Amino acid sequence: MRQPAFEMERWQSHFENTVRCNLSDSGVLPFRFAEFCEFANVDPSDVVFGYGLTEGTADLRSRIAAMYPGATENNILVTTGSAEANFLTVWRLVEPGDRVVIVQPTYGQTPGLAAGMGAHVEPLWLDESHDWQPAPGAAAEIITAGTRLVVVTNPNNPTGVVLSDRARREIIDAAEAAGAWILADEVYAGAEVAGGVTPTLWSGTERVIVSASLSKAYGLPGLRLGWLVAPPDLREDLWARKDYTSIAPAVLSDRLARAALEPETRTRILQRCQRIVRANLDIVEAWAATTSRLTYRSPDAGAICLFRYDSPIPSLELAERVRTEHSVLIVPGAHFGLEGTFRIGFGYEADKLPIGLGSVAKLLGAIQPATA
Ligand SMILES: Cc1ncc(COP(=O)(O)O)c(C=O)c1O
């Protein structure tokens, strides 16, 4: 089976470590190793570099389970990032010819994977004119009988918008009526700009798998530590499939993840994230207010913001010019199927943001607006 390229990850793999200013990352400033050990009061110097427990240690799994109502460590599988959790789920559930509904725009992993596995991928679009929620009734129209899997990223990437109670209910009801599984990618939960934590879809329905990781709100993407939450039987199957992929989480990552998810430490880590997101979003919004060339919807969660610009230039060309002329990396909307837009990530150093944003403004100034 031919596998379509994962365009956004290719774009980042090529350029994110070589540009002067990287506005393509969707997480907050990662911790340094020594800084984290002090912050979390952990000394991992006695870690033995054997293969660890392949499903994740019981301590880590019970700390993860505590975040999901009614879950126990038997519902949890530790994975290499949420990327592996998503991969295992799609690999296990999807057969060629299956109908897979994916709430879009979204991170391109599950649409690309499902298509590569021979599924019929149908988008359920978040609608800009409905505050980036699915239009009322759209879920029931698209999640039809025989749909095998519904994938929803909540909070959403690239918009940073959290599903409304109405939209969440409609998706769950439609999936239940169709007999479909739901994969809820909740990797941006905990990075909320204001208000409480995004409600999890876990326990909202029986046929649900949740994926998440320490990569975004926790500032620990380099640990490559994620997890999935699933009904025990399915979790067993997914664990068996993991024997074919990464086998086990890195023992050092398992140890540091246990420290990160110790309840008091976790609270402080999420407070750090939310402080960064709020302060940096203020900078982004003050910048956006200085131009009439952009429109956007302020994100609910995640250090990401999607902008619509007012020029006919294709988003790939715009992003390529920002990169080659200014050495700044943004993500073109084409990578999300949204022409006329780009995504910026704003969770890194506040003092670098004006450099990157200023470059985007300069480039916009150099191109024609649509009405000119
Ligand atoms: C929605 C979503 N899911 C999954 C991932 C993969 O992240 P990780 O494997 O680091 O958890 C990303 C990364 O950007 C993402 O945006």
Side-chain angles (χ1 to χ4, degrees), residues 115-281:
M117 288 173 184
H120 297 299
V121 176
E122 291 293 333
L124 168 56
W125 283 103
L126 301 175
D127 186 339
E128 201 168 355
S129 63
H130 284 96
D131 197 30
W132 290 110
Q133 303 291 328
E141 262 169 45
I142 292 169
I143 304 169
T144 47
T147 300
R148 175 65 170 155
L149 176 67
V150 177
V151 184
V152 52
T153 300
N154 188 43
N156 177 259
N157 174 10
T159 60
V161 173
V162 170
L163 281 181
S164 66
D165 291 346
R166 188 266 306 159
R168 202 172 51 244
R169 191 67 262 156
E170 285 192 6
I171 291 170
I172 291 172
D173 287 350
E176 282 178 347
W181 281 92
I182 295 179
L183 168 59
D185 181 333
E186 299 181 353
V187 76
Y188 292 97
E192 288 76 13
V193 177
V197 170
T198 306
T200 174
L201 264 77
W202 177 253
S203 79
T205 178
E206 273 176 22
R207 291 159 75 87
V208 63
I209 302 111
V210 169
S211 63
S213 79
L214 298 182
S215 296
K216 310 298 178 187
Y218 296 83
L220 296 166
L223 294 187
R224 306 305 304 126
L225 196 295
W227 56 86
L228 56 83
V229 196
D233 291 358
L234 184 68
R235 184 208 86 115
E236 284 295 309
D237 281 5
L238 295 165
W239 182 19
R241 295 238 170 183
K242 194 176 159 221
D243 296 344
Y244 283 102
T245 55
S246 63
I247 305 176
V251 281
L252 184 57
S253 297
D254 188 301
R255 168 67 72 84
L256 296 176
R258 268 180 274 162
L261 295 179
E262 184 280 319
E264 189 266 337
T265 306
R266 174 172 180 260
T267 302
R268 285 190 298 115
I269 292 176
L270 296 185
Q271 284 167 347
R272 167 189 182 268
C273 166
Q274 290 164 13
R275 259 197 316 273
I276 295 174
V277 168
R278 276 195 286 270
N280 290 8
L281 181 57

Side-chain angles (χ1 to χ4, degrees), residues 6-9 11-12 24 26 103-109 111 123 125-126 132 156-159 188 304-307 315-316 330-339 341-344:
F6 188 164
E7 289 174 337
M8 186 186 83
E9 286 295 344
W11 173 253
Q12 291 182 296
S24 77
S26 59
V103 178
Q104 297 197 44
T106 192
Y107 184 63
Q109 184 193 11
W125 283 103
L126 301 175
W132 290 110
N156 177 259
N157 174 10
T159 60
Y188 292 97
I304 43 179
C305 193
L306 185 78
F307 286 98
S315 62
L316 280 168
I330 60 174
V331 179
H335 288 175
F336 302 105
L338 284 179
E339 209 30 274
T341 69
F342 61 85
R343 189 197 78 180
I344 63 152

Side-chain angles (χ1 to χ4, degrees), residues 40-80:
N41 196 19
V42 57
D43 174 6
S45 57
D46 62 340
V47 163
V48 176
F49 289 120
Y51 283 109
L53 283 153
T54 66
E55 58 187 318
T57 54
D59 273 1
L60 175 56
R61 286 186 291 119
S62 68
R63 285 204 164 148
I64 295 168
M67 300 188 286
Y68 299 92
T72 73
E73 60 191 65
N74 295 330
N75 295 109
I76 310 296
L77 181 66
V78 177
T79 56
T80 301

